[in-house]
Amino acid sequence: MTQTDDVETAVTRYDAIIIGAGFSGMYMLHKLRDELGMTVRLFERGDGVGGTWYWNRYPGARCDVPSMFYSYSFDDDLEQEWQWTERYAAQPEILRYAEHVADRFDLTKNIEFGRLVTAADFDDASATWTITTDEGTKESARYLIAASGPLSAAQVPRFEGLDDFAGDWYHTGDWPEEQVDFTGKRVGIIGTGSSGVQSIPVIAETAEHVIVFQRTATFSVPAQNYSLTAEERDAIKKDYKAIRASGRVGSGSGTPMPAPKAFANELSPAELQHELDAKWEWGGPAFLRAFKDTMTDRKANRLTADYVRAKIREIVKDPDTAELLMPPDYPIGAKRLPADTGYFETFNRDNVRLVSVRGTPIERITTNGIVVGDEEYKLDAIVFATGYDAVTGALNNIRIRNSAGELLKDKWMNGPRAYLGVMSAGFPNLFMVVGPSSPSITTNVLVSIEQHVEWISEYIAFLREHGIETTEADLTAEDEWVEHVSELADGTLFPEADSWYMGANIPGKPRVFLAYVAGVGTYKERCDAVAAAGYTGFIHDGEPAHSLEDVVFSE
Ligand code: NAP
């Protein structure tokens, strides 16, 4: 039932409020409204659906997971009717897909666009969350679902003088809707992560001059993108369910791809070379699966990294530029590996210059450009491809407060804590989709989103069926989960790099590995076991849902 309380500020009560109309929020809305018959309102700060694909309109933006699998699987007709045109679709096509889904399931009638949620307060007595928007309006609901995205809080470094810059500046993750024309302009691009790697080659095609300001040289592998033929699409669609399922088993990322055949030390030099060549030709993130131990063994990893270093030397003609592009000695893949189209080749262009800001950081921005050391680089536009306050940023930007007046942000001061990555102890009825310590960011996120949305909505159905008003994570279960997640990460090379996975890209952010790395299949088994045992590790209306001894996290 939807009702309007006759109080000072009109408060509309829904069964659930969802924050964010990306792929998580859209599917959650469909599930709760159309399958559970709940009253739901979704708040979205943008003026359209699509989440990250709404904001990331920068030149060259495209996914790095094959589109046939970077798409919903929950509806047979939807997956059969949509025709992806490329192996890795570009942003406009992915956004069209999101809009198609919104139309098909009539989602927009329950979405308030252009509304930023700024605060959320839980009231124990009524067991409701009340959210406040940037317009000062308040609405309340029994459940609050944060579908605000792991990579949505754009990070613009606070360079002195940015406000004085006479040209235009952009962040890749907050790109304007209208086309940006760089023709004839001198463009400075800061950042060489996935967004920089994708945008630099495309911007260089039109700009008069591009200056790339690189702090840490990146590994990158060719995406090997191509147009999909009807035959290729049909072959997958004929067997869609089984092919998708093959990517979800065990330690999988959720994307079907050739499995590694052996550990690196089991292979001869010729076989090593052959495996790396094959994965380079295959393209994209599969490159990290040349060996079974690429992400766990330093030697296997170094072989993989050195292969890319040799490719850079081969592709980039100027030896000094090639040396500057050489990634330092962090494990390949420990920072998210970009998939590119002509990235290293772009540095052979006459209109592209690489400036290392590793030893000599950007000092300040002036009216005319960027100052590094003694030199002022004159620019008409600056592109910040400087990333995100990942995973926790969007949540921490909302002042989330429980009945005792405690803030989620304060609880997470030393790193985020969430049981199964879906709920944080002390914050009842607040579910997070692809939250911290879930697999999300290290997987095909569409697969993780579907699993989370389905698990959470089944849980909500259970709570409603059993007349349970509040659920919250048990602190002990949460502690055990966080420890388990951290132990898993420590068994890999991920913690060895200063990456956004570790929170290392944000000054002052605690260094905590933000994801569960044992794969989407294993994670799903854990979540399903918790559900099957009666939602162990949660507290229902103040009582433990079940004995915690029923859940064993260690392998
Ligand atoms: P990112 O990977 O965090 O890269 C940010 C870049 O900006 C890094 O090169 C970083 O240097 C540099 N940087 C940050 N602050 C700087 C400063 N003060 N001075 C100079 N350089 C600075 O961000 P992103 O490229 O936006 O990618 C984030 C994630 O989004 C990706 O890892 C991926 O998961 C996702 N994404 C995916 C795709 C796709 O292919 N589907 C495309 C774009 C993004 P350091 O390395 O030294 O920190």
Side-chain angles (χ1 to χ4, degrees):
M1 287 288 290
T2 304
Q3 64 187 72
T4 301
D5 290 355
D6 194 19
V7 288
E8 216 173 79
T9 350
V11 174
T12 310
R13 182 160 303 140
Y14 298 99
D15 292 325
I17 286 175
I18 301 170
I19 304 172
F23 285 118
S24 301
M26 288 167 68
Y27 185 31
M28 189 53 94
L29 170 56
H30 169 58
K31 271 276 180 196
L32 298 184
R33 187 194 66 183
D34 302 335
E35 289 185 20
L36 302 193
M38 293 167 67
T39 57
V40 188
R41 203 76 187 152
L42 189 156
F43 294 88
E44 164 57 52
R45 75 186 160 109
D47 291 329
V49 297
T52 200
W53 298 105
Y54 174 89
W55 298 103
N56 279 263
R57 297 164 190 259
Y58 63 84
R62 62 176 68 247
C63 60
D64 60 359
V65 170
S67 297
M68 293 295 294
F69 307 109
Y70 189 83
S71 46
Y72 289 123
S73 70
F74 70 83
D75 186 278
D76 291 348
D77 293 337
L78 171 65
E79 74 176 5
Q80 288 297 325
E81 78 200 5
W82 187 262
Q83 308 287 1
W84 292 108
T85 64
E86 290 181 276
R87 184 187 192 193
Y88 300 107
Q91 176 273 337
E93 187 173 4
I94 305 174
L95 186 58
R96 277 201 302 281
Y97 172 74
E99 289 165 350
H100 169 75
V101 173
D103 286 348
R104 195 179 203 293
F105 296 99
D106 199 13
L107 298 179
T108 48
K109 69 178 182 203
N110 295 88
I111 304 178
E112 301 229 10
F113 291 107
R115 301 277 295 278
L116 177 73
V117 175
T118 55
D121 289 89
F122 188 71
D123 174 49
D124 270 343
S126 58
T128 52
W129 280 99
T130 298
I131 59 116
T132 308
T133 69
D134 52 349
E135 291 171 5
T137 55
K138 292 178 189 292
E139 320 256 6
S140 74
R142 169 66 33 95
Y143 302 105
L144 180 61
I145 322 280
S148 39
L151 292 162
S152 52
Q155 159 79 352
V156 178
R158 292 195 194 116
F159 292 119
E160 184 197 322
L162 179 57
D163 291 343
D164 303 330
F165 182 57
D168 295 318
W169 64 266
Y170 311 89
H171 186 283
T172 47
D174 196 3
W175 202 263
E177 221 167 301
E178 64 277 11
Q179 193 125 21
V180 178
D181 185 6
F182 289 120
T183 311
K185 299 217 163 127
R186 292 175 62 83
V187 183
I189 304 177
I190 306 172
T192 53
S194 299
S195 306
V197 159
Q198 286 187 336
S199 58
I200 288 163
V202 182
I203 294 175
E205 281 170 18
T206 54
E208 182 189 305
H209 207 86
V210 167
I211 303 179
V212 176
F213 297 90
Q214 169 192 275
R215 188 165 67 183
T216 308
T218 185
F219 293 101
S220 184
V221 294
Q224 312 285 20
N225 192 27
Y226 51 78
S227 297
L228 287 171
T229 62
E231 289 73 31
E232 279 169 295
R233 279 195 300 262
D234 291 349
I236 292 172
K237 285 184 179 181
K238 243 165 101 190
D239 215 9
Y240 225 150
K241 293 274 172 278
I243 299 174
R244 283 194 196 263
S246 70
R248 291 193 186 114
V249 288
S251 62
S253 67
T255 308
M257 57 174 93
K261 293 194 192 111
F263 292 93
N265 66 7
E266 295 169 340
L267 300 172
S268 68
E271 288 168 328
L272 290 169
Q273 184 71 26
H274 176 267
E275 288 308 312
L276 289 163
D277 285 344
K279 291 293 186 296
W280 181 268
E281 285 310 317
W282 178 271
F287 187 69
L288 294 174
R289 290 159 69 92
F291 316 120
K292 287 181 179 169
D293 48 354
T294 306
M295 289 313 298
T296 51
D297 180 76
R298 246 313 191 165
K299 232 170 137 187
N301 189 282
R302 196 163 286 133
L303 280 167
T304 311
D306 285 345
Y307 181 93
V308 178
R309 291 192 180 99
K311 286 284 185 192
I312 298 171
R313 287 196 183 93
E314 199 179 297
I315 296 168
V316 180
K317 291 188 183 127
D318 173 48
D320 293 338
T321 307
E323 266 333 288
L324 274 187
L325 286 167
M326 225 35 77
D329 192 30
Y330 65 85
I332 184 171
K335 284 182 172 211
R336 166 75 172 240
L337 180 65
D340 73 86
T341 302
Y343 174 64
F344 293 116
E345 290 82 348
T346 298
F347 293 93
N348 292 331
R349 296 178 67 111
D350 291 339
N351 68 334
V352 176
R353 177 168 173 197
L354 180 64
V355 174
S356 173
V357 294
R358 194 166 180 76
T360 317
I362 292 174
E363 190 184 297
R364 68 198 145 88
I365 293 176
T366 63
T367 324
N368 300 321
I370 291 179
V371 177
V372 181
D374 297 337
E375 196 159 348
E376 183 186 56
Y377 297 88
K378 299 252 187 326
L379 301 166
D380 302 309
I382 300 174
V383 173
F384 289 91
T386 44
Y388 300 87
D389 185 351
V391 184
T392 53
L395 284 162
N396 283 340
N397 285 343
I398 304 169
R399 197 219 56 212
I400 297 173
R401 190 164 55 182
N402 64 17
S403 237
E406 293 154 350
L407 301 180
L408 184 68
K409 191 176 176 168
D410 287 348
K411 181 187 166 188
W412 285 3
M413 198 179 296
N414 297 318
R417 307 187 73 76
Y419 176 45
L420 301 176
V422 295
M423 191 170 265
S424 192
F427 293 82
N429 293 7
L430 166 62
F431 288 99
M432 293 171 276
V433 186
V434 296
S437 76
S438 76
S440 68
I441 52 175
T442 53
T443 65
N444 174 348
V445 80
L446 256 290
V447 171
S448 287
I449 285 171
E450 284 197 326
Q451 185 267 338
H452 252 193
V453 168
E454 285 160 13
W455 192 90
I456 291 169
S457 55
E458 274 164 34
Y459 188 17
I460 289 177
F462 171 92
L463 295 168
R464 285 160 62 87
E465 266 165 39
H466 291 80
I468 298 164
E469 291 204 335
T470 62
T471 171
E472 68 174 291
D474 178 275
L475 194 56
T476 311
E478 177 171 290
D479 288 347
E480 284 175 10
W481 180 257
V482 170
E483 201 178 317
H484 173 59
V485 169
S486 153
E487 275 170 13
L488 288 171
D490 287 344
T492 70
L493 300 172
F494 280 108
E496 290 189 27
D498 290 333
S499 67
W500 62 258
Y501 289 146
M502 291 293 298
N505 63 325
I506 303 293
K509 191 167 174 173
R511 282 188 76 116
V512 173
F513 191 74
L514 293 166
Y516 173 87
V517 290
V520 291
T522 311
Y523 176 75
K524 184 175 184 318
E525 282 166 22
R526 300 283 198 214
C527 292
D528 290 349
V530 166
Y535 295 98
T536 41
F538 289 93
I539 297 173
H540 291 161
D541 290 337
E543 298 292 327
H546 236 271
S547 163
L548 285 178
E549 284 155 23
D550 294 349
V551 190
V552 178
F553 292 125
S554 48
E555 294 283 74

